[in-house]
Amino acid sequence: MINKDVTQMKIEALAFLGGEPAFEKKLHVGRPNIGNRNRLLERINDILDRRWLTNYGFYVSEFEKKIADLTGTKHCIAICNGTIALEITIRALGLNGEVIVPAMTFIATAHSLQWQEITPVFCDINPKTHNIDPKCIEKMITPRTTGIIGVHLWGRPCEVEALEDIAMRYNLKLIFDAAHAFGCSYKGKMIGTFGDAEVFSFHATKFLNTFEGGAVVTNNDELAKKIRLMKNFGFAGYDRVIYIGTNGKMNEVSAAMGLTQLESIEEFIAVNNRSYKKYVRELSNVPGIKIITYEKTEKNNYQYIVLEIDESTTCISRDLLVEILHAENILARRYFYPGCHNMEPYSSYFPHARLLLPVTEDLSKRLLILPNGTSVDEQDINKICQIIRFVIANAATIKKQIAP
Ligand code: T4K
């Protein structure tokens, strides 16, 4: 499978310069965790026997109960994906006008607002946590502001109390996009319990997946009721619609996948944690590379291996390093380059937004995400890290070779 001895490697052997790739098969960021295949297939067989495939069936109901239990929330509403879950939550909370969001997030956070003609107002992040910076939020509040969406990026919690304080003082709704943070905690409480509501993604690439899927968790009875109706077209009974709604329902097979994965989360966390520690050991002495840390006293899912590259020390840019890794079949990612504010329609709407987003601008050019999850083993990590060390040690020569 692995066909290049990196320890003995010469520069010409880099696939980028014409050699063979280090990995025969592509090593992806976001390769799904699977869990117990037989348990899943048993459940799918049962779904077929029941002939109940979607619309709040047995498995969705079980899945919702388990997620509510695990997060310690009163209500969990399973949704067909994280984006629709955000859209419904935003609508159910009555947000309009402007909502403050970090620019350093997956585009879905911003789109879920703009899709409903609510303006996402992009806020800068804290360079240490990569999360929305409460100090920047107040400057962005206008009479049109109705809410804040904090994103627990990489599963690391936002500064929850500071955001709650601002939301309370300005009478704003507070949603957390917890797409990355299932299984994580903040000050000993599970993510899911904060703000007016929190939204998970269970997309295939996430720590826990339901193929496609998401969920809203909240302790607010009224809100939960409204979201439940809205995700089912607004039906409040046979032939009776009381809100504008959409089709946000999770299907039974997705819920069966979720339940099956829940039985393996301790194993997923153990594997991710072991791999995270291995990456830290292998890369901690490489000048110009910093791996983000996770708070040891909290629960973490360790799904994301995030490197900050300091080009002034590595002498190689993040982008060139990514190109070199891709040539070796290591599909590292540049999440979330170039930042939502630099993507359409936002870059046309707010051409000067970047002036208020210096930390986002800087970090989006320096972050690199490496493969993790149950599809990656120790040998893979060894090899990935050897290549990174090799490239940085030989940065000047590599750059000379590719200079025009
Ligand atoms: N908020 C935040 C903060 C989010 O990160 C996301 C989603 C959302 C909201 C919205 O939730 P959802 O509506 O998606 O539930 C991927 C995912 O599609 C997206 O769900 C995720 N964030 C984002 C971080 O990553 P892309 O554009 O990078 O997808 P793609 O197709 O390039 O796949 C990523 C990698 O995963 C590739 O290297 C291939 C690998 N992969 C992917 C799939 C689907 C596999 O190996 N197997 C697979 O089945 O967005």
Side-chain angles (χ1 to χ4, degrees):
M1 160 100 155
I2 295 171
N3 51 20
K4 178 152 61 182
D5 182 355
V6 180
T7 48
Q8 303 296 319
M9 199 158 81
K10 300 266 185 302
I11 284 176
E12 309 76 68
L14 282 173
F16 184 69
L17 297 174
E20 287 295 311
F23 292 92
E24 227 160 55
K25 279 198 195 147
K26 291 188 187 338
L27 217 62
H28 291 269
V29 166
R31 209 86 177 130
N33 291 326
I34 302 295
N36 186 326
R37 202 178 280 245
N38 290 333
R39 280 295 288 139
L40 174 64
L41 295 176
E42 273 169 26
R43 285 182 163 124
I44 294 177
N45 263 325
D46 184 49
I47 290 168
L48 298 179
D49 290 343
R50 287 168 184 267
R51 288 182 188 261
W52 196 279
L53 308 184
T54 184
N55 289 21
Y56 205 65
F58 171 78
Y59 285 97
V60 165
S61 164
E62 285 298 293
F63 183 59
E64 288 181 342
K65 276 186 219 138
K66 288 251 157 67
I67 299 289
D69 268 6
L70 272 165
T71 53
T73 43
K74 269 171 94 176
H75 306 281
C76 167
I77 304 108
I79 306 281
C80 56
N81 63 56
T83 308
I84 302 285
L86 278 169
E87 284 175 17
I88 295 175
T89 308
I90 288 161
R91 193 159 197 130
L93 279 168
L95 299 190
N96 55 49
E98 296 174 359
V99 171
I100 298 171
V101 291
M104 173 61 101
T105 179
F106 189 58
I107 196 69
T109 320
H111 278 355
S112 60
L113 292 161
Q114 191 64 51
W115 189 255
Q116 319 191 59
E117 308 208 335
I118 300 167
T119 305
V121 173
F122 295 116
C123 186
D124 214 0
I125 51 171
N126 177 327
K128 287 205 185 91
T129 64
H130 300 183
N131 284 327
I132 194 164
D133 187 344
K135 286 199 287 297
C136 302
I137 293 179
E138 285 194 65
K139 290 181 228 149
M140 321 212 84
I141 295 175
T142 73
R144 297 187 71 228
T145 310
T146 56
I148 303 169
I149 303 183
V151 180
H152 305 301
L153 206 68
W154 323 129
R156 299 193 302 178
C158 291
E159 292 171 58
V160 172
E161 291 93 344
L163 297 186
E164 283 175 343
D165 174 60
I166 298 171
M168 203 184 64
R169 282 191 287 113
Y170 290 87
N171 195 23
L172 305 175
K173 301 291 184 200
L174 177 61
I175 301 173
F176 287 104
D177 176 340
H180 299 180
F182 183 72
C184 304
S185 70
Y186 175 69
K187 296 197 174 166
K189 272 175 83 180
M190 294 308 283
I191 297 288
T193 48
F194 302 106
D196 291 288
E198 302 212 52
V199 173
F200 294 119
S201 164
F202 301 129
H203 180 258
T205 55
K206 295 296 182 293
F207 165 66
L208 179 119
N209 87 79
T210 58
F211 302 106
E212 288 273 2
V216 185
V217 281
T218 178
N219 287 320
N220 179 328
D221 300 342
E222 278 304 302
L223 181 66
K225 198 167 151 200
K226 200 164 178 184
I227 289 172
R228 212 171 267 297
L229 292 174
M230 277 187 165
K231 67 122 200 229
N232 187 29
F233 313 100
F235 272 109
Y238 287 127
D239 315 321
R240 198 164 79 91
V241 170
I242 59 167
Y243 295 124
I244 182 163
T246 186
N247 184 353
K249 289 172 274 122
M250 177 180 276
N251 69 67
E252 287 287 273
V253 173
S254 286
M257 179 66 158
L259 284 165
T260 308
Q261 297 235 327
L262 281 173
E263 289 162 1
S264 295
I265 52 173
E266 291 311 322
E267 179 208 325
F268 296 163
I269 291 173
V271 170
N272 279 356
N273 189 9
R274 200 167 59 225
S275 299
Y276 169 74
K277 284 183 178 150
K278 171 94 183 142
Y279 273 116
V280 170
R281 277 199 306 278
E282 295 293 324
L283 294 175
S284 57
N285 293 326
V286 181
I289 287 198
K290 197 173 130 197
I291 303 197
I292 64 159
T293 55
Y294 291 97
E295 189 58 66
K296 287 199 184 75
T297 55
E298 300 290 349
K299 286 191 189 269
N300 298 294
N301 63 33
Y302 299 100
Q303 182 75 356
Y304 289 94
I305 306 295
V306 184
L307 270 49
E308 290 177 14
I309 311 288
D310 174 7
E311 189 183 346
S312 65
T313 309
T314 56
C315 298
I316 196 153
S317 69
R318 184 272 313 264
D319 290 352
L320 182 53
L321 184 54
V322 166
E323 273 189 63
I324 292 172
L325 292 174
H326 280 209
E328 301 292 347
N329 279 338
I330 303 161
L331 298 191
R333 296 296 296 260
R334 302 186 295 178
Y335 290 144
F336 284 105
Y337 176 78
C340 295
H341 61 296
N342 286 320
M343 292 183 171
E344 290 298 347
Y346 314 109
S347 53
S348 295
Y349 290 171
F350 319 113
H352 305 299
R354 67 193 157 73
L355 299 175
L356 293 173
L357 303 166
V359 182
T360 306
E361 281 281 311
D362 172 53
L363 276 175
S364 71
K365 294 185 184 85
R366 301 203 291 113
L367 296 187
L368 184 151
I369 320 299
L370 292 175
N372 201 17
T374 48
S375 69
V376 181
D377 65 23
E378 284 217 11
Q379 229 195 334
D380 296 333
I381 298 172
N382 259 334
K383 196 126 189 157
I384 293 169
C385 295
Q386 279 170 3
I387 291 172
I388 292 174
R389 288 198 303 262
F390 179 81
V391 168
I392 290 175
N394 293 282
T397 325
I398 293 167
K399 282 203 294 198
K400 244 187 246 155
Q401 293 249 3
I402 59 170

